Amino acid sequence: MARRSTTTPPPEEFEERILDIDVVDEMQGSFLEYAYSVIYSRALPDARDGLKPVHPRILDQMGQMGLLPDRGHVKCARVVGEVMGRLHPHGDASIYDALVRMAQPFSMRLPLIDGHGNFGSLGNDDPPAAMRYTEARMAPAATLMVESIDEETVDFTPNYDGSGQEPLALPSAFPNLLVNGASGIAVGMATNMPPHNLGEVVAAARHLIKHPGADLETLMRYVPGPDLPTGGRIVGLDGIKEAYATGRGTFRIRATASIENITPRRKGIVVTELPYNVGPEKVRAKVKDLVAAKKLQGIADLKDLTDREHGLRLVFEIKNGFNPEAVLEQLYKLTPMEETFGINNVALVDGQPLTLGLKE
């Protein structure tokens, strides 16, 4: 039995129209829109609160949920769901990654989230647990970021579907951009700012308010350099001074190590602090490869005695007949126990990405 055709011809007002568009113009326009979106909506922090757009959305939503430091923790999955449904229409993974970083004391100089559960380890050697297992609430510092937000202190804008409002920036009560630093890669530009000590930054800010014409030398008496959450020793200040003056510069960080008597017959190198974003597993893997390739000599054994009570503790047992100081210099030279940090202070000021010195 033949079927009757149900297809009806399109009405005349819907006739096909083809537009000739130059592919170069289309590519340029589309790329510029994409670049603009990445720069302003994802990768670069706002100079006012030092946060990328996802971070104030998380903190604002947690404030609305009443997750204050004196309240109980709630599942991170609940926070991520609220943020994604109300303010941040992107994948839950990006929201959870941002939330996790704000809770890591080895990533943030002043954590903004109080996490409960496995939030990962130094150097990302071990990933955090899934959001259905971890719990969170606001840290005391986060309350300083959002307090008085409902007193017309900042401008608001409609959220992505117009069903509510979100703050353009948080009324941060401390200079979070300098205190916690930032890192991000946009299109054609990137930012990499180290963390600083809260007391030093606030003292410099108070001096600058009283003396707006203060020069860099004076401000560096208050802020002599970065204060990294994982510790370590900064080698040389020339790169830091250049970065504070121009917004760009490099400095070297060394692990904190001491030479101790491991056994009555052998000495060893004990590492208690590593450079920023370097985990013990990365050091162990590099040392193992160097010893196997016979590029590093004198190490009899390497033990990772890190625990919650004593913190980081890597112990290198030195073979008899080798100078521990010479072995330590080789470790600095050949392994991640010495790293270079490239400062690139790019942030959004009145919507414009600018490279900023310390005073700015």
Side-chain angles (χ1 to χ4, degrees):
M1 179 178 174
R3 289 183 177 274
R4 187 175 64 183
S5 173
T6 57
T7 305
T8 56
E12 292 184 3
E13 61 267 26
F14 295 116
E15 287 182 2
E16 188 178 69
R17 288 187 301 158
I18 298 175
L19 298 176
D20 287 329
I21 299 175
D22 183 42
V23 69
V24 174
D25 294 339
E26 179 63 25
M27 290 289 286
Q28 285 179 344
S30 298
F31 181 77
L32 285 172
E33 285 185 26
Y34 167 73
Y36 183 88
S37 172
V38 171
I39 290 170
Y40 294 95
S41 302
R42 275 163 49 188
L44 297 184
D46 192 302
R48 292 171 291 181
D49 58 13
L51 301 174
K52 303 175 189 178
V54 66
H55 299 123
R57 288 169 178 167
I58 293 171
L59 296 177
D60 179 47
Q61 194 59 48
M62 290 181 78
Q64 292 190 40
M65 293 170 69
L67 304 180
L68 300 175
D70 56 351
R71 308 285 176 85
H73 296 79
V74 303
K75 290 286 186 184
C76 290
R78 183 178 160 199
V79 176
V80 170
E82 289 289 327
V83 174
M84 185 165 58
R86 294 176 181 270
L87 301 174
H88 197 72
H90 304 288
D92 56 356
S94 63
I95 300 172
Y96 186 53
D97 286 348
L99 187 152
V100 163
R101 181 176 168 78
M102 287 195 288
Q104 293 175 332
F106 48 83
S107 295
M108 306 283 279
R109 190 64 187 82
L110 195 65
L112 300 177
I113 287 178
D114 176 13
H116 187 235
N118 175 15
F119 278 79
S121 65
L122 177 62
N124 293 319
D125 290 342
D126 298 306
M131 68 179 90
R132 60 183 178 274
Y133 300 119
T134 55
E135 299 178 344
R137 65 185 177 190
M138 298 173 76
T143 60
L144 294 173
M145 299 287 292
V146 299
E147 69 176 0
S148 73
I149 194 171
D150 54 352
E151 297 175 13
E152 298 185 4
T153 51
V154 293
D155 294 327
F156 281 75
T157 186
N159 66 341
Y160 68 93
D161 63 357
S163 61
Q165 298 279 313
E166 63 173 304
L168 288 172
L170 297 182
S172 176
F174 65 94
N176 181 61
L177 183 65
L178 279 169
V179 172
N180 277 321
S183 65
I185 300 174
V187 178
M189 60 184 67
T191 186
N192 199 33
M193 304 181 67
H196 290 80
N197 183 277
L198 175 64
E200 294 174 355
V201 171
V202 169
R206 292 178 66 177
H207 180 82
L208 194 59
I209 290 170
K210 291 180 181 177
H211 308 92
D215 60 8
L216 183 62
E217 295 281 348
T218 305
L219 293 179
M220 284 189 69
R221 291 180 199 159
Y222 297 96
V223 186
D227 186 11
L228 305 170
T230 53
R233 293 184 297 118
I234 292 174
V235 183
L237 293 176
D238 291 342
I240 292 173
K241 188 170 183 180
E242 180 186 356
Y244 284 172
T246 66
R248 293 174 187 266
T250 59
F251 65 91
R252 287 184 297 152
I253 324 164
R254 277 188 168 183
T256 301
S258 60
I259 295 170
E260 302 177 9
N261 290 319
I262 303 300
T263 67
R265 295 174 127 194
R266 276 188 173 170
K267 288 192 172 185
I269 298 169
V270 179
V271 178
T272 53
E273 296 175 353
L274 285 173
Y276 191 43
N277 290 332
V278 173
E281 193 60 43
K282 189 176 178 182
V283 175
R284 291 176 61 189
K286 185 65 176 177
V287 169
K288 183 179 177 181
D289 291 344
L290 290 168
V291 170
K294 296 186 178 178
K295 294 180 179 178
L296 183 61
Q297 312 237 334
I299 294 178
D301 193 16
L302 169 56
K303 296 176 182 176
D304 186 356
L305 304 181
T306 303
D307 59 27
R308 289 185 178 179
E309 185 178 348
H310 301 98
L312 179 73
R313 189 174 175 85
L314 282 176
V315 180
F316 297 84
E317 195 172 320
I318 306 301
K319 293 179 181 178
N320 291 330
F322 284 86
N323 185 342
E325 285 86 356
V327 175
L328 179 58
E329 283 302 317
Q330 287 296 299
L331 287 171
Y332 285 140
K333 182 179 179 181
L334 300 173
T335 74
M337 281 176 54
E338 180 174 309
E339 290 279 88
T340 299
F341 189 101
I343 299 177
N344 187 23
N345 295 338
V346 178
L348 295 174
V349 180
D350 296 330
Q352 299 291 323
L354 298 176
T355 303
L356 307 172
L358 175 67
K359 184 175 179 179
E360 289 77 25

